Amino acid sequence: MRVGSLTDIGKIRTSNEDSLGIDLERGIFIVADGMGGHQAGEVASHRAVESIMEALGERDLVEPVTDALRQAVTYANSRIELAAQQDRNLKGMGTTVVTAIVMDKHKRFAIAHVGDSRAYLIRKARIQQLTEDHSMVAELVRTGIISPEAAAKHPYRSAISRSLGQCKNVEVDIIEGDWLEEDRLLLCTDGLTRFVDNTELIECILRIEDPQLACKQLVDLALERGGHDNITVILIVHTARD
Ligand code: CA
């Protein structure tokens, strides 16, 4: 397995409310995009990564890992929700999260997600978005009310419909799949995907073999387009050498 990762504040924001976490040994990868004023977004996304790592750290990650994943994300939700209740400065904070457990040995991956941070699978020359955005506009597209093109320009395109920390209970989406040689998984925040389209994502990922350089190139692309948001990417490559 080879992994690249990068987070960047972007060109407009004064703080980076995205967080990422990697445990290479156990194959755990997390990207979170926080929200809330006065640094609360930073606290929320950081707390999500920390809580999920903590919860998974106590588990033996053998298949099926989906229960462990769901419980870890649920635990993160309660921790963030409690912190927001206890500290006036953190009131209303929340975060997206996309977490992947990638098991080379078992040739499987599992993903848990809440919000509009995304996971993509790149297999051969194809890219597939694995996660469904939990956002207002994505719901409108799914029900056929507006087109994907209209969604991209919608004034409320960044309003998410599900996040960690905002309610006592949270619904967590779980996705599982085969993890084949040369497959790649991309986890990222909307600071990347709102400015770089699927064709550009796959072109860059297939052209640049080194995952760290590919991450740098993806972040640079988002920055070239204005860097309006924080940008975070993790790229995991299943290499034949493992
Ligand atoms: Ca964002």
Side-chain angles (χ1 to χ4, degrees):
M1 186 188 294
R2 294 175 73 199
V3 178
S5 66
L6 197 59
T7 185
D8 193 286
I9 191 169
K11 289 187 171 172
I12 311 283
R13 302 284 177 88
T14 52
S15 63
N16 189 350
E17 298 189 323
D18 287 357
S19 292
L20 66 83
I22 295 177
D23 179 339
L24 257 187
E25 207 165 298
R26 311 190 77 213
I28 305 169
F29 305 91
I30 311 170
V31 162
D33 178 350
M35 67 212 84
H38 307 291
Q39 318 300 312
E42 274 181 61
V43 175
S45 67
H46 183 79
R47 191 65 60 88
V49 170
E50 183 188 77
S51 310
I52 291 169
M53 283 296 186
E54 181 194 324
L56 291 176
E58 292 166 2
R59 306 280 297 237
D60 226 359
L61 294 182
V62 287
E63 285 207 272
V65 292
T66 49
D67 288 349
L69 254 183
R70 194 186 300 278
Q71 282 162 18
V73 174
T74 307
Y75 171 67
N77 181 63
S78 1
R79 291 245 352 243
I80 298 164
E81 203 257 347
L82 187 66
Q85 299 264 336
Q86 289 173 340
D87 186 337
R88 203 158 46 89
N89 295 320
L90 302 177
K91 197 171 177 322
M93 71 172 172
T95 183
T96 72
V97 76
V98 56
T99 303
I101 297 180
V102 183
M103 293 170 297
D104 278 0
K105 202 167 80 184
H106 300 287
K107 297 186 166 48
R108 296 285 290 167
F109 68 78
I111 289 166
H113 97 106
V114 175
D116 66 355
S117 297
R118 292 180 179 173
Y120 292 87
L121 175 68
I122 296 98
R123 176 168 294 161
K124 298 192 188 296
R126 287 195 55 210
I127 184 163
Q128 182 193 359
Q129 185 181 328
L130 298 173
T131 50
E132 249 178 22
D133 291 348
H134 302 139
S135 71
M136 231 177 63
V137 294
E139 306 285 350
L140 294 176
V141 172
R142 274 196 288 279
T143 46
I145 293 168
I146 62 169
S147 68
E149 294 73 30
K153 298 192 181 94
H154 200 284
Y156 296 121
R157 61 187 176 275
S158 57
I160 58 175
S161 52
R162 233 195 269 178
S163 61
L164 294 189
Q166 315 242 285
C167 301
K168 282 238 174 312
N169 297 307
V170 68
E171 195 187 335
V172 183
D173 283 7
I174 302 280
I175 301 137
E176 290 181 275
D178 292 327
W179 179 236
L180 310 178
E181 272 178 25
E182 314 226 336
D183 277 357
R184 293 161 166 88
L185 270 178
L186 173 71
L187 310 184
C188 56
T189 56
D190 67 336
L192 177 71
T193 49
R194 277 205 276 137
F195 308 103
V196 181
D197 67 25
N198 282 13
T199 317
E200 294 169 314
L201 291 179
I202 193 161
E203 189 279 325
C204 177
I205 289 167
L206 294 181
R207 181 169 48 85
I208 305 173
E209 207 189 317
D210 179 342
Q212 189 58 42
L213 288 179
C215 286
K216 172 81 172 65
Q217 181 74 43
L218 290 172
V219 168
D220 285 348
L221 260 179
L223 290 171
E224 274 169 30
R225 309 266 154 89
H228 298 281
D229 196 358
N230 309 140
I231 311 149
T232 300
V233 288
I234 300 181
L235 181 62
I236 309 142
V237 187
H238 192 171
T239 50
R241 298 189 281 289
D242 298 333

